[in-house]
Amino acid sequence: MKKKLLSVLLCAAMAATMMTGCGTKEEPAAAPAEETSAPEADTSAAPADTTGSDEGSAEGKAYNIGYSNMQLKEDFFITVEGGIHKAAEDAGYVYNTTISDRDATKMKQNIEALVTKGADIIIDFNVMAEAGSAIASDLAKENIPMLSVDCIYDGAYFFGVNNLEAGEILGQTAAEYVDSKFGGELEYIVNVYDAASGDEIKKRNDGVVNVLQEKYGVPDDNVVWLDSKQDDVKSQTMTKDWLNSHPDATKIVIVGQNDDRGYAANAAVEGESRKDDCIVVSHNADPAPIENLQKHVEDKDTAWVATASYNSHLYGEQIMDMATKILNGEEVEQNGYTKVTIVTLDNVNEYVKDRDAAIAAMQ
Amino acid sequence: MSKVKSLLKNSKSELSTVIMLVVLCIIFGVQSEYFFTFRNIMNIGTYASIMGTMAAGLTVAMLLGGLDVSQYSLAAMAGMIMGMMIEAGFSVPVTLAVTILVGILGGCINAFIITIMRVNPIIATMGTQFIFRGAAFLLTDGRYIRIDDPVYYFIGNGKIFGIPFCLMVMLITYIIVWYLLKYTKYGRQVFAVGGNIQVAKLAGINANRVKFISHIIAGVTAVMGGIITVCQTSSAMPNHGYGNDMDGIAAVILGGIGLAGGKGKVGGTLIGILVLAVLVNGMTLLNVQAYWQQVVKGLVLIFAVFIDALRSSKSKA
C-alpha cells in the first residue's frame, strides 16, 4: 500500500511540477479576458465564407493562431517563432505552438491538438511537403486554412522564399564580383548542393547558374554539381578534390545551396590557397558568413563575398499579416514571398544593425 | 472482500500505472477544458495506436528478458519499401503482405543475431537499428514518398462509428497477443523461458525457438506500426519515428513488465502506452514546450524503472 501511495505522490508531484514550471499562458497577454472565447465562435467563420468581410485585427478580433513548428534549435527557427509569437501578441490573438522535431506523426498529432484548442488557422513550419499536403487537405474539410512556411503544401497558402528568384538576385551580385574580380570572364560555376533537399531548394542554385550562364556564356559542361549528401565534411572534401583536379582554372564561382555548404566550400578554397581564383556565394545569412564578411570589410581578403538573407526577423510580421488577411476573408495571393537581401562586404554592417534592432524588438 | 484483495494482489503491478493514468487524466482535465473532449480523446487514441501496436510485440520480447530497440527503424525501413511499392503501382494486398514480410524478415535477423550468434539483445538490436535506419535512407536516397490513396488514408485516418480504425487495429493486436500469451503453449513457454531459462530448458522447452518466434512477433508489430505511420501521415519518410525508440520500452516497463522478464501482462503495456500518450497530449494542450516534454518522459522512464526495482527487490525478499 505504501508503494501505491508513493506512486500516486510521485506522479502528482511530477505533473504539478511540469504544469507550474513548464507551462506557458494559453491566453494572449494583450487580449482582454472575453477575447479568449472569441476564437471558438470564429471557428465556424471559414475564410471562404467570409470573403469581403471588413473585420480586421484593428477592430480587435482575437483570432486563435496555431503554430506548428519543427524545432527551436537553430537560429532561423528561433527567430521566426519569436517573430510570429510577438506579432500574434501585438495583434491580441490567442497563440499556441507545438514542436514536432521532424516527426511527421507528431506533427499531425500536434496540429490536431491545436485544432482541438480552437485554432482558426494553422501555420506550419515543418517543411514536410508530403505529410503537410495531406494535413492541409484534412483541415480544408473543417474550413481551417493552413499557411505553410518555406515549403509548398498542396492546398495550403505559402509564405517563404521564392528560391529561383532568390538565386537570380544572388546571381546578379555574383556577376558584379565576376566583373570586378575576374574582368568579366568566368570559366566554371561549381554548385555545392544536396540532391536530397529536392528540386525546390535546388532552384536557389539554378537561379545563380541561369544569370551567370546567360551573362558569361559558361558552357553546360563547365557547370559542376557536387552533391554533398548534407554532409559538411563531404562538402569540403568534394570542393577540395574538384579544385585540385582543376589547377589551371582561375575564374570560378562556387555556389553554396546554403551557408553550411558555402562555409565548407570556402574552407576548401582557403585550404588550397585558391582565394584569388574563386568567388563563393551562398544562401541563408547564417552567423558564419556574416562574421566572415564583417571580418573582411576593410581588407576585402575573402572569396566568400555574399550570402542571401531571407530576413527571418521579418517573417513573423509578414506571416501574421498574411494570416490575418486570410482569416478576414481578404483576397490573398496563394503564395507570399519574403524579401531577399543580399549581404555583401559593402552592406554587412548596416544589415546586422537593422537585423539586431528587429530581433531586440521581439524580446 | 477476499476476492478484492486477491484482485489487488494479482494486479498490483498494473495498479500503480492505472492510478498514474487516472491522476494524470484528472490533472489535465482540470487544467485544460479541451482534454476530455471526444475529439481529443480520439486524438490520444490515434497517437497511441502506433506506439501501442509496436509495444504489443515488444512486450513478448521483453517477457523473455530481452529488448528490441530496432523497432522504429525497422518500421521506417518497411514504410519506405511500402511507399516504393505503392509508387510502383502494386495492389494494396500485395503491398501490405510484402511489408509484413519485411517485418518477419527483420524479426528473423534480430532473432538470428540474438539466439544463434548469442549477441546480447540490446547490442544486437542497437546494431540492426542502425542498419534498418540506414537502409531506409538508402532506399530512396532520403527522398520522401507521398501516399495519396483512399485505402491507405482510411487505415491511418479512417473512423468506424467515430472510432479511429488504427486504434481498432491496435486493440485487435493486443487481443491476439493476450490470447497467445494466456491460452497457448507458446505463451506458457514465453513465461517459462523468461522466468528461468535453465529450468525451462530442463523442462524440455526449446528456448531458442521461443525467442525466435518472439522476435518475429516484435518485428511484425513494428512494421504494423510502420504501416499505420505511413497511412496516418500519407507519406513514407526514412526518418519516421527517429528519436522515439525508447518510448515503447518505457511503456512496457510502466506497464509492469520487468527488465528481467518472466512476468507481466500485455494489458499492463496498454495502460503504460495510455499513460505516455495522455502525458504527451496533456502537456501539448497545456503548451508545455516539446523539450520539456522530453525531460518529463525521461523522468517517467526513470520512475518506471524505479518502481520495477522496488517490485524486484520485494519479490526477492
Side-chain angles (χ1 to χ4, degrees):
Chain A
M1 199 64 199
K2 276 182 187 171
K3 205 188 300 173
K4 283 174 207 159
L5 188 64
L6 180 69
S7 306
V8 174
L9 288 173
L10 280 174
C11 180
M14 183 183 69
T17 306
M18 78 196 181
M19 256 159 283
T20 53
C22 321
T24 55
K25 285 184 180 178
E26 289 187 36
E27 297 83 14
E34 63 269 22
E35 285 183 352
T36 309
S37 59
E40 286 182 40
D42 294 339
T43 308
S44 60
D49 300 334
T50 56
T51 309
S53 164
D54 57 0
E55 289 175 312
S57 61
E59 294 174 16
K61 190 165 185 176
Y63 289 120
N64 185 322
I65 307 297
Y67 180 46
S68 164
N69 196 7
M70 180 204 284
Q71 48 129 313
L72 278 177
K73 296 171 187 167
E74 293 172 15
D75 288 343
F76 196 91
F77 285 86
I78 294 167
T79 307
V80 171
E81 197 280 333
I84 292 176
H85 193 162
K86 181 174 187 300
E89 274 190 355
D90 288 349
Y93 296 166
V94 176
Y95 174 78
N96 292 301
T97 183
T98 58
I99 293 174
S100 69
D101 249 340
R102 296 175 192 271
D103 183 336
T105 314
K106 203 166 178 187
M107 167 191 172
K108 189 174 166 65
Q109 306 301 332
N110 283 342
I111 289 175
E112 180 65 24
L114 292 170
V115 172
T116 302
K117 292 174 79 175
D120 294 310
I121 187 168
I122 295 296
I123 300 170
D124 184 87
F125 193 5
N126 275 288
V127 201
M128 287 193 268
E130 295 77 10
S133 299
I135 293 170
S137 167
D138 287 346
L139 289 172
K141 289 173 195 162
E142 301 190 55
N143 283 327
I144 297 172
M146 188 176 196
L147 198 170
S148 64
V149 180
D150 271 0
C151 181
I152 293 174
Y153 298 170
D154 297 340
Y157 291 94
F158 165 84
F159 180 85
V161 182
N162 183 330
N163 288 301
L164 187 65
E165 194 179 273
E168 286 170 351
I169 296 170
L170 185 61
Q172 311 273 359
T173 303
E176 289 171 19
Y177 279 94
V178 169
D179 289 343
S180 60
K181 188 170 179 177
F182 299 150
E185 289 179 18
L186 183 61
E187 295 168 0
Y188 288 97
I189 306 168
V190 179
N191 293 279
V192 186
Y193 83 119
D194 304 311
S197 295
D199 291 341
E200 183 56 39
I201 305 296
K202 183 173 167 283
K203 286 178 186 170
R204 296 176 179 185
N205 290 65
D206 291 336
V208 180
V209 170
N210 291 348
V211 170
L212 295 179
Q213 265 198 301
E214 191 181 334
K215 185 161 186 188
Y216 302 107
V218 180
D220 287 345
D221 287 347
N222 286 16
V223 179
V224 181
W225 294 89
L226 304 177
D227 181 2
S228 68
K229 311 258 184 210
Q230 295 177 314
D231 185 319
D232 294 343
V233 176
K234 200 170 269 181
S235 305
Q236 188 171 339
T237 309
M238 291 176 91
T239 310
K240 186 179 158 189
D241 290 347
W242 188 89
L243 288 170
N244 286 337
S245 62
H246 295 78
D248 299 329
T250 56
K251 297 177 178 66
I252 308 158
V253 167
I254 302 178
V255 188
Q257 191 173 53
N258 55 41
D259 286 332
D260 289 339
R261 306 292 149 257
Y263 183 89
N266 188 54
V269 168
E270 291 187 352
E272 298 307 303
S273 303
R274 299 285 293 271
K275 271 195 282 190
D276 292 341
D277 301 338
C278 300
I279 291 166
V280 180
V281 295
S282 54
H283 290 260
N284 273 1
D286 283 346
I290 297 297
E291 280 170 25
N292 179 68
L293 289 170
Q294 285 183 308
K295 191 173 149 192
H296 295 289
V297 164
E298 298 300 326
D299 61 27
K300 316 271 184 202
D301 185 27
T302 178
W304 198 4
V305 293
T307 178
S309 167
Y310 306 141
N311 295 295
S312 58
H313 52 286
L314 302 177
Y315 262 48
E317 204 178 306
Q318 296 175 89
I319 287 169
M320 203 50 61
D321 183 51
M322 192 172 172
T324 301
K325 284 179 178 165
I326 293 167
L327 290 169
N328 284 346
E330 292 172 31
E331 204 167 306
V332 181
E333 290 284 331
Q334 190 77 14
N335 296 341
Y337 295 112
T338 185
K339 182 185 159 197
V340 176
T341 304
I342 305 300
V343 188
T344 66
L345 291 163
D346 298 327
N347 67 354
V348 63
N349 287 332
E350 193 183 336
Y351 168 82
V352 169
K353 194 176 151 194
D354 292 346
R355 182 200 63 186
D356 291 351
I359 291 173
M362 282 179 208
Q363 291 156 355
Chain B
M1 194 62 188
S2 60
K3 276 186 181 175
V4 175
K5 275 185 181 173
S6 166
L7 182 71
L8 284 173
K9 191 180 172 187
N10 291 333
S11 63
K12 65 181 177 184
S13 57
E14 293 90 29
L15 194 63
S16 54
T17 319
V18 172
I19 292 170
M20 188 191 283
L21 180 61
V22 172
V23 170
L24 285 175
C25 286
I26 291 169
I27 292 170
F28 289 133
V30 169
Q31 293 285 321
S32 172
E33 60 185 300
Y34 308 104
F35 184 77
F36 278 121
T37 58
F38 181 73
R39 181 174 190 143
N40 189 54
I41 290 167
M42 290 305 107
N43 190 25
I44 293 171
T46 307
Y47 179 79
S49 65
I50 296 170
M51 186 173 45
T53 305
M54 295 166 93
L58 181 64
T59 303
V60 184
M62 287 183 67
L63 278 170
L64 289 163
L67 269 181
D68 186 349
V69 295
S70 68
Q71 275 198 311
Y72 277 93
S73 300
L74 177 58
M77 185 183 77
M80 292 312 293
I81 291 170
M82 180 182 165
M84 290 166 75
M85 289 186 71
I86 295 167
E87 208 173 34
F90 284 92
S91 68
V92 175
V94 172
T95 303
L96 293 180
V98 170
T99 310
I100 295 288
L101 272 176
V102 172
I104 293 172
L105 186 65
C108 285
I109 292 170
N110 279 336
F112 179 83
I113 298 169
I114 292 164
T115 59
I116 309 298
M117 294 170 68
R118 295 183 180 280
V119 177
N120 178 292
I122 299 175
I123 307 299
T125 54
M126 206 183 283
T128 52
Q129 179 190 39
F130 291 128
I131 294 167
F132 295 149
R133 183 68 70 182
F137 276 93
L138 286 171
L139 282 167
T140 59
D141 269 340
R143 183 174 62 89
Y144 301 168
I145 300 170
R146 171 94 192 264
I147 313 293
D148 193 7
D149 183 296
V151 176
Y152 296 112
Y153 181 85
F154 180 81
I155 293 172
N157 303 283
K159 287 173 184 163
I160 298 174
F161 301 121
I163 309 295
F165 178 75
C166 54
L167 185 58
M168 293 180 179
V169 170
M170 180 189 84
L171 293 174
I172 291 167
T173 307
Y174 273 86
I175 291 169
I176 292 170
V177 173
W178 168 78
Y179 181 84
L180 266 179
L181 291 174
K182 193 165 175 72
Y183 293 108
T184 66
K185 185 180 164 189
Y186 163 75
R188 288 188 289 278
Q189 289 176 340
V190 167
F191 284 101
V193 173
N196 190 323
I197 192 166
Q198 297 306 328
V199 173
K201 279 180 179 174
L202 287 172
I205 295 172
N206 185 339
N208 276 355
R209 183 175 157 275
V210 173
K211 285 185 180 178
F212 219 97
I213 294 171
S214 300
H215 281 284
I216 290 173
I217 292 172
V220 170
T221 58
V223 299
M224 283 173 67
I227 290 169
I228 297 173
T229 306
V230 168
C231 296
Q232 247 180 38
T233 60
S234 300
S235 62
M237 299 163 73
N239 60 349
H240 267 321
Y242 191 77
N244 296 338
D245 308 275
M246 298 307 287
D247 287 5
I249 293 167
V252 174
I253 296 170
L254 266 175
I257 291 167
L259 287 169
K263 58 185 176 184
K265 293 173 182 171
V266 73
T269 300
L270 184 58
I271 300 165
I273 288 290
L274 290 175
V275 166
L276 285 183
V278 163
L279 195 62
V280 170
N281 175 269
M283 288 193 289
T284 303
L285 288 181
L286 293 179
N287 280 352
V288 177
Q289 203 201 50
Y291 305 124
W292 277 109
Q293 291 188 21
Q294 287 179 4
V295 171
V296 174
K297 275 163 77 176
L299 289 173
V300 168
L301 180 61
I302 293 167
F303 175 67
V305 176
F306 169 67
I307 292 293
D308 177 51
L310 278 182
R311 281 179 197 139
S312 301
S313 61
K314 193 179 176 186
S315 63
K316 277 175 192 167

